[in-house]
């Protein structure tokens, strides 16, 4: 047993869109909140990096209803969405978008209503934005401002949660590593929310920030919670590949396609789709179309497809993206003359912690929100749904965690927990091992998989697990990035194993999971898989 260093009603781990929304909602119920992030508050993770659009069926300009949005979400999910979660996303999402407008996020307007663009998989223009390439920063800034105004929310940056603490099977808080000092901090909480985002840093080519290697999934597993749908990693099909660009985002071509179309071509100059898709095809289908061109020898020189805007006039390009066109020119790219090369890049995770509609996990006192949660998107996510999910699930988790904490206050003492962050192992190079992990996942667990590739991945993960050793290198109690890297790697290896195991078992192709040895989508596989830890073993179960 130990005395807690900090004590709160609701502990929120992760201060992206979901975590900040959860903190605001929990404080709104009268709870004291501790909002903790391994980065600066509101500046780590994916939310601040998101650039484009946010989907919500606000009916101000284009007649719409959240049930139409739900129908599109379910269709994109290829039969695997948890309908209750998907409905929550679509229905509560509308209120959150309106609340964000009241908080002055600055959604772009068109006449009397919100401006909306059409995104792939949506049946009508449904995606709001602040300003192309600036939506995420505006969302983060708005939520940070709200969080700062609420005295009941205490913010703590540079704190990495390393373990959920349990007593009699219930979550009673967490251990965190104060990254700057190397100290381990025990936090007692009435309820704890995991809002740590996704896992795409497991892959070599990704759109992730440094903090997105799946910490939250590992925290949940080790606490006894279930994960679901872990095989479904979304690849963004048109990540920039070549020529080299400096100071520009690899996802930048999506807004170009929103506004201008753009042709996706193979090495022979043929459309990758039999009929030019007009930017309506969902991400899974486009990803696989590009990769099949590459496999069949019709890829671009750098190993992707060409994205061409040469049919769009210089005036139209400048009218839509003037400042960006200048930045491209500085990189030697002239879109009126040259096509660029693009290829799929790991971008989002459909799977995650299994929760109820109240965002409660199987572990009493433990909740989850945002990209950390699995189920709403099934086997494939609609573009624009992730930020809406962060808002809607964050708000829901905050409310329900506060109610739980009101019934069950933070304990006066904490269990000792594992002492890994205080242990001292032999010297090692976790960064090199992490790079090996990323290469392994990219080669063998990308969008196209097979029994052979997944077996290679499984063997590689076992070898990396052996190389990891039992304890982090360096001395405890001092600032040491190598220890943080080791702790990251330990969590990432567990999460990668969950992805591989779920992908091995699903012997069909569906959405983001395509098996080269099982190409069909099979009715008997129209169910999710969930996983939990029993001792050191990951155990997989089917969920109807
Ligand atoms: C480049 C990019 C562009 C995108 N564009 C769009 C878009 O246009 N529209 C859309 O809908 N979606 C978009 N997405 C997806 C969307 O941004 C995310 O799914 C969503 O923002 C996730 O929000 P979140 O709060 O769940 O997680 P995040 O915003 O990722 O926040 C998670 C937080 O948890 C912290 N954290 C992680 N581990 C720990 C730990 N152990 N201890 C403490 N803190 C921890 C991280 O530092 C981070 O601050 C984009 C994603 C990326 C990467």
């Amino acid at each position: 047993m130990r005395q807690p260093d900090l004590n709160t009603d609701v502990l929120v781990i992760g201060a992206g869109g979901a975590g900040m929304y959860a903190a605001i909602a929990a404080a709104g119920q009268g709870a004291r909140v501790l909002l903790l992030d391994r980065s600066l508050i509101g500046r780590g993770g994916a939310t601040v990096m998101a650039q484009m659009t946010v989907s919500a069926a606000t009916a101000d300009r284009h007649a719409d209803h959240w049930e139409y949005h739900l129908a599109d979400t379910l269709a994109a999910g290829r039969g695997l969405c948890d309908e209750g979660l998907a409905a929550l996303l679509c229905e509560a999402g509308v209120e959150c978008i309106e609340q964000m407008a009241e908080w002055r996020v600055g959604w772009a307007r068109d006449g009397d209503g919100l401006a909306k663009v059409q995104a792939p998989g949506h049946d009508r223009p449904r995606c709001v934005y602040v300003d192309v390439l600036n939506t995420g920063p505006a969302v983060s800034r708005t939520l940070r401002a709200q969080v700062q105004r609420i005295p009941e929310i205490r913010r703590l940056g540079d704190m990495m949660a390393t373990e959920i603490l349990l007593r009699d099977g219930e979550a009673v808080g967490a251990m965190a590593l104060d990254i700057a000092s190397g100290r381990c901090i025990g936090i007692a909480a009435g309820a704890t929310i995991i809002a740590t985002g996704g896992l795409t840093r497991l892959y070599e080519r990704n759109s992730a920030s440094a903090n997105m290697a799946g910490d939250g999934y590992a925290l949940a597993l080790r606490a006894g919670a279930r994960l679901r749908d872990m095989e479904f990693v979304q690849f963004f099909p048109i990540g920039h590949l070549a020529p080299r660009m400096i100071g520009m985002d690899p996802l930048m071509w999506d807004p170009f396609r929103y506004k201008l179309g753009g042709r996706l071509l193979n090495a022979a100059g043929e459309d990758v789709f039999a009929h030019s898709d007009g930017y309506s095809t969902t991400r899974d289908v486009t990803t696989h179309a590009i990769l099949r061109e590459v496999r069949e020898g019709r890829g671009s020189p750098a190993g992707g497809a060409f994205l061409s805007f040469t049919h769009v006039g210089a005036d139209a390009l400048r009218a839509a993206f003037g400042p960006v066109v200048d930045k491209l020119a500085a990189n030697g790219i002239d879109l009126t003359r040259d096509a660029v090369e693009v290829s799929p890049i790991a971008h989002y995770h459909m799977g995650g912690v299994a929760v109820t509609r109240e965002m409660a996990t199987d572990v009493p006192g433990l909740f989850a929100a945002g990209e950390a949660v699995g189920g709403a998107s099934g086997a494939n996510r609609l573009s624009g749904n992730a930020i809406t999910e962060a808002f809607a699930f964050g708000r829901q988790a905050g409310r329900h965690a506060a109610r739980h904490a009101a019934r069950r206050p933070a304990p006066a003492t904490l269990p000792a927990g594992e002492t890994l962050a205080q242990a001292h192992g032999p010297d090692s190079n976790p960064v090199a091992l992490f790079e090996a992990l990323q290469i392994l996942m990219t080669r063998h667990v990308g969008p196209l998989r097979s029994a052979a590739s997944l077996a290679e991945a499984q063997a590689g993960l076992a070898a990396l697990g052996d190389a990891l050793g039992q304890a982090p290198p360096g001395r405890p109690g001092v600032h040491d990035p190598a220890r943080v890297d080791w702790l990251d790697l330990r969590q990432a290896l567990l999460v990668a194993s969950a992805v591989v195991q779920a992908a091995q078992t699903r012997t069909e192709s569906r959405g983001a999971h395509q098996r080269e040895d099982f190409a069909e989508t099979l009715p008997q596989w129209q169910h999710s898989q969930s996983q939990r830890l029993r001792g050191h073993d990951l155990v997989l179960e089917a969920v109807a």
Side-chain angles (χ1 to χ4, degrees), residues 71-89:
D72 288 346
T73 300
L74 298 180
R78 315 282 181 236
L80 286 203
C81 293
D82 175 319
E83 290 202 24
L85 292 180
L88 178 71
L89 185 162

Side-chain angles (χ1 to χ4, degrees), residues 33-99:
V33 180
L34 181 59
L35 176 60
L36 173 141
D37 200 288
R38 54 180 294 175
S39 180
L40 293 173
I41 298 296
R43 296 186 197 268
T47 306
V48 72
M49 296 164 73
Q51 304 174 331
M52 296 166 287
T53 61
V54 184
S55 58
T58 58
D60 43 6
R61 269 187 57 78
H62 302 275
D64 202 354
H65 189 274
W66 68 265
E67 289 182 1
Y68 301 148
H69 184 188
L70 176 61
D72 288 346
T73 300
L74 298 180
R78 315 282 181 236
L80 286 203
C81 293
D82 175 319
E83 290 202 24
L85 292 180
L88 178 71
L89 185 162
C90 298
E91 187 176 13
V94 176
E95 290 165 20
C96 294
I97 294 298
E98 289 166 354
Q99 189 165 45

Side-chain angles (χ1 to χ4, degrees), residues 12-21 36-55 127-128 135-136 139-140 143 156 158-163 175-177 179 194-198 200 206-216 219 234 236 249-251 254 258 283 346-349 369-373 381-391 394 488 491:
V12 182
I13 304 174
M20 288 194 281
Y21 229 113
L36 173 141
D37 200 288
R38 54 180 294 175
S39 180
L40 293 173
I41 298 296
R43 296 186 197 268
T47 306
V48 72
M49 296 164 73
Q51 304 174 331
M52 296 166 287
T53 61
V54 184
S55 58
C127 292
V128 302
T135 295
V139 160
S140 285
L143 290 173
L156 220 48
D158 263 351
M159 285 276 178
M160 174 187 182
T162 53
E163 183 188 2
M175 290 300 294
L177 178 71
I179 295 174
I194 294 178
T196 45
T200 44
N206 63 62
S207 62
S209 79
N211 303 343
M212 291 165 60
D215 273 11
L219 289 171
Q234 181 165 70
F236 175 84
D249 194 287
L251 305 186
D254 225 24
Y258 278 128
R283 288 178 175 172
H347 180 54
Y348 174 85
H349 188 41
E371 194 172 336
V373 162
R381 169 179 72 92
L382 272 186
S383 61
N385 267 12
I387 293 194
T388 317
E389 169 185 68
F391 294 162
D488 267 354
Q491 302 292 50

